[in-house]
Amino acid sequence: MEQHRTRPPNDGRRRGHPPHAHLPPQARRRPPGPEAGRGAGQSRPVPGPRLTGLGGGLFCIAAMFLLGCLDELLFDGSLPVYGVLFLPVCVLTALWVRPGDVLTAPVTVPIAFATGLFVVADGREGMLSRLMGLVTGLATQAGWLYGGTLAAGVIVLVRRVRWVRSRRRPH
């Protein structure tokens, strides 16, 4: 005997909720027209990729390792050049990490600095010599390290405060 369905089929939505309510925020469609708080024709304040915390850390570490190799190749391991190259990587890492993971950026930039510095550091006679060059480089280039970490920290704090406030606002 065939039984007939008495309830309508469930499409995954709850009653009274729009069709996109069950999707994560990045998958929801925004209504057409100017976004709230911005005029028509204005772009997002932070263009670029949205990396997870892990992705941002890997980007930063890989970028500093490659820049360290480039510095060693072109400038014979110039520590001031390496320090100058570190600053934009810090800023990009802090801007490109997605809002929920933004607090990871100031943690990963010092690790990335040390990773690339290992390539640039003096020490041609072996691993112990390279390690001593790394310690010396960290001591003498601390200004670049602190400056980049501070820049990332300030950007992260501003982004985090804005993100928390936007989540608290009623929609």
Side-chain angles (χ1 to χ4, degrees):
M1 176 167 198
E2 186 175 327
Q3 293 184 358
H4 295 283
R5 179 171 267 225
T6 58
R7 293 175 47 187
N10 183 2
D11 63 354
R13 293 187 283 174
R14 288 198 231 151
R15 281 186 224 146
H17 291 279
H20 65 277
H22 64 282
L23 296 174
Q26 56 271 53
R28 295 181 189 158
R29 281 193 168 204
R30 302 200 189 270
E35 294 179 345
R38 292 189 205 121
Q42 288 182 345
S43 63
R44 291 173 36 199
V46 182
R50 287 287 171 233
L51 302 172
T52 63
L54 178 62
L58 291 175
F59 160 75
C60 191
I61 289 170
M64 289 314 300
F65 181 78
L66 292 174
L67 288 174
C69 291
L70 190 66
D71 182 24
E72 182 69 31
L73 189 69
L74 298 178
F75 301 105
D76 199 31
S78 171
L79 293 177
V81 170
Y82 179 75
V84 168
L85 294 173
F86 175 64
L87 297 178
V89 173
C90 292
V91 170
L92 288 176
T93 301
L95 290 175
W96 286 352
V97 173
R98 65 185 182 183
D101 295 336
V102 78
L103 296 177
T104 61
V107 174
T108 58
V109 289
I111 297 168
F113 185 84
T115 302
L117 191 63
F118 192 75
V119 176
V120 178
D122 274 340
R124 314 254 190 278
E125 292 86 38
M127 186 57 98
L128 190 57
S129 174
R130 174 82 53 183
L131 192 59
M132 287 302 298
L134 175 66
V135 171
T136 303
L138 285 171
T140 60
Q141 302 304 309
W144 295 111
L145 176 60
Y146 292 148
T149 306
L150 180 66
V154 168
I155 292 169
V156 160
L157 286 177
V158 169
R159 287 189 63 209
R160 182 68 178 192
V161 166
R162 290 180 68 200
W163 182 69
V164 168
R165 284 184 182 167
S166 71
R167 290 182 55 108
R168 286 186 182 167
R169 252 183 256 141
H171 295 287

